[in-house]
Amino acid sequence: MNSRGRIRCVVVCVLLSLGSAAWAGEPNETPIHLEFEVSPTPLPASSVPLVRSGNNAWKDFNAIEPGYAADITIVGPTDFIPFPNRRSGKDADRFITAAAMHRTDLSEGQQALLGILQEMYKAQPEPLRNRIDPNHPEHFLLYAVTLEDARKMAEIYVQFAADSFKRSVASYQASIKSTSDELAANQQRLSELGQSEETTGKQLQELRKLVPYRNVQQATDAVAELDKTLNPARVEIAGLQAKLKAIQDHMKTISPTNQELRLKLETMFVEESISLQVAEARYRTAQELRKQANDYVDLTQALSRILLEKEKVEKEKVPDLSKELQDLKERLPAIMREEPQIPTKIVIHPITWADGGQGN
C-alpha cells in the first residue's frame, strides 16, 4: 500500500472509532424514507470546485473519481443542517463521523472517500456548498463512489439532520422537566423550612421562660458546670445505697433481744434514706437543668440553621431556578421553529470526468 493509501486507511479507522463513540449511546430514531431520481444530465467533474484545489485531499478525491453526487436542496431553517466549517456540534464533521458508522452499508471506496471528505472540510471553509442554478436555492452535493453509496449518503445526511433536531428538542424538554422538578422540590423545601422555623421558634420561646440563658455560650458553660455536679452526685448516691444495704444486712444478724442496737440501726437507716432522697433529688434537678441547657443550645443552633437554609432557598435557589425555567421555556419555541425541512425527493447527478467516462 502506498503512503497516500495508508493515510486514507488511518483516517477511516479514526472515523470509525469516533463514530462508535459519538453514536453508540444515541436513541434509535424512526428511519426516514426518501425518494430518489437519477438525473439524465451528468455533472462534469470540472464543475466541482474542490478538484481544482492543490490540497492533497483534493488530489486524493480526484484520484478516486466519485461517480455520483446526491443533491440536497437547502431550504428553510439551517441550524440543524450539517454544513462544512460549522463547529457548533451539528457540523459536517460530525455528519461524516456518523456516516462512517454505516461502514457495512457503504462500499470500500466510499469509506475511503469519507476520510478524504473529512480532510477537505478542515482544509477549506464550505467547499461543497454550491448553487447549481443561481436562480434556485443553495444545494449541498454529497459525493459518492456508486449510485447506492449516493442514496445511502443522502439517507444518512437527512437522518442526521432530523435526529440532531430531535435530540436538541428532547434535551430542552428534559432540562425543562428536571428544572421544573428541582424548582418544585425547593418550593416544597421552603414550605417545610417555614413550618420548622415556626415549630422550633415556639419551642425556644417556651424554653426561654424556664432558663436564665440569653445566648448559646451561657448555656454551654452551664452544661459544663452541671456535668461537674452530676459525677459527684452519682458517686454519693452509690455510696448511700451501699450504706443502706449494709445496715439492712447487719439488722438481720443482731439478736432480737438486743433492742438498743436495733433501734440505733433503724435510726441510721432513716437518716441515710433521707440523705439518699436528697442526693437523688439533687441529681435529678441537675439532670433536668442540664437537659434544659442542652435543649437551649440545640434549639438555638437548629433555628439558626433553618433560617440560613431558608434564606438561601428563598433568595437564591428558587429565583435562579425560576429564571432558568423561564429561559428554557422561552428558548424551546425558537428551537422548534428550526426543524429542518426534509426533501420529498432527492436528485442524484452522475459525474463525468476528463477521461470522458463516469467515475470509478
Side-chain angles (χ1 to χ4, degrees):
M1 181 183 295
N2 58 34
S3 60
R4 184 171 297 173
R6 285 195 296 271
I7 291 173
R8 282 203 297 267
C9 181
V10 169
V11 171
V12 173
C13 289
V14 171
L15 281 169
L16 296 181
S17 174
L18 289 174
S20 299
W23 283 71
E26 301 290 356
N28 293 324
E29 301 288 356
T30 304
I32 295 174
H33 299 286
L34 301 174
E35 292 185 14
F36 295 96
E37 176 184 327
V38 179
S39 173
T41 305
L43 293 175
S46 59
S47 68
V48 182
L50 55 88
V51 302
R52 298 195 296 273
S53 170
N55 185 278
N56 287 335
W58 309 148
K59 293 178 181 179
D60 289 344
F61 179 91
N62 192 37
I64 289 181
E65 294 189 356
Y68 297 90
D71 180 2
I72 307 295
T73 304
I74 307 301
V75 294
T78 60
D79 273 13
F80 294 92
I81 299 295
F83 287 155
N85 201 36
R86 188 176 279 181
R87 295 291 178 261
S88 62
K90 302 181 286 288
D91 56 17
D93 282 350
R94 286 192 64 218
F95 157 66
I96 293 297
T97 301
M101 282 293 294
H102 294 263
R103 54 193 179 277
T104 58
D105 300 330
L106 300 173
S107 69
E108 184 177 347
Q110 186 67 27
Q111 293 180 46
L113 181 59
L114 290 177
I116 296 167
L117 291 174
Q118 183 116 14
E119 288 187 69
M120 292 191 303
Y121 286 143
K122 296 175 181 177
Q124 178 180 331
E126 306 194 7
L128 304 183
R129 293 174 64 180
N130 297 282
R131 288 188 184 276
I132 297 176
D133 184 336
N135 298 319
H136 288 80
E138 194 171 32
H139 291 247
F140 189 88
L141 296 179
L142 298 172
Y143 296 97
V145 175
T146 69
L147 180 60
E148 185 58 33
D149 286 334
R151 292 193 182 100
K152 192 63 186 178
M153 288 291 289
E155 289 174 353
I156 296 170
Y157 185 89
V158 172
Q159 189 76 56
F160 180 85
D163 290 354
S164 295
F165 168 75
K166 291 177 184 177
R167 281 190 295 274
S168 183
V169 171
S171 176
Y172 267 92
Q173 291 172 335
S175 295
I176 287 173
K177 184 181 185 308
S178 63
T179 305
S180 179
D181 290 345
E182 188 176 357
L183 176 60
N186 275 274
Q187 289 171 333
Q188 175 63 30
R189 179 58 180 162
L190 192 59
S191 175
E192 293 170 354
L193 288 169
Q195 294 175 0
S196 297
E197 178 188 2
E198 183 180 357
T199 301
T200 305
K202 286 181 179 179
Q203 291 174 342
L204 184 58
Q205 186 176 3
E206 291 299 319
L207 184 59
R208 281 173 175 160
K209 298 176 182 178
L210 304 176
V211 299
Y213 322 120
R214 289 300 172 261
N215 55 59
V216 170
Q217 187 59 54
Q218 290 179 359
T220 302
D221 293 341
V223 170
E225 289 299 321
L226 289 166
D227 280 340
K228 296 177 183 178
T229 302
L230 287 170
N231 290 331
R234 280 194 290 265
V235 173
E236 182 184 4
I237 289 171
L240 289 171
Q241 289 172 337
K243 185 179 291 187
L244 288 171
K245 185 177 184 304
I247 293 172
Q248 288 176 320
D249 292 341
H250 193 62
M251 287 177 65
K252 294 176 183 178
T253 62
I254 62 175
S255 171
T257 59
N258 193 346
Q259 292 299 320
E260 183 181 354
L261 180 56
R262 177 177 295 278
L263 182 60
K264 184 177 179 181
L265 289 173
E266 287 176 350
T267 301
M268 289 176 60
F269 186 85
V270 171
E271 291 174 349
E272 297 303 329
S273 295
I274 293 172
S275 296
L276 177 60
Q277 291 177 11
V278 172
E280 288 176 339
R282 282 200 301 267
Y283 182 74
R284 285 194 300 270
T285 300
Q287 278 188 316
E288 184 178 349
L289 293 174
R290 187 182 185 281
K291 182 179 183 305
Q292 289 177 345
N294 265 331
D295 289 346
Y296 181 89
V297 172
D298 292 343
L299 288 172
T300 302
Q301 292 177 342
L303 184 59
S304 178
R305 288 193 299 269
I306 290 169
L307 293 174
L308 285 174
E309 184 181 356
K310 182 183 176 184
E311 182 180 17
K312 184 177 181 63
V313 173
E314 188 173 29
K315 295 185 178 180
E316 295 180 25
K317 290 187 176 181
V318 169
D320 288 350
L321 288 168
S322 297
K323 185 178 184 305
E324 182 181 351
L325 182 61
Q326 181 180 354
D327 291 344
L328 287 168
K329 288 181 175 180
E330 288 176 354
R331 289 200 298 267
L332 181 58
I335 295 294
M336 297 293 289
R337 289 193 294 271
E338 294 300 322
E339 182 174 7
Q341 295 185 17
I342 305 302
T344 56
K345 181 181 291 186
I346 291 179
V347 176
I348 298 177
H349 300 277
I351 299 177
T352 56
W353 291 80
D355 56 12
Q358 197 170 314
N360 293 333

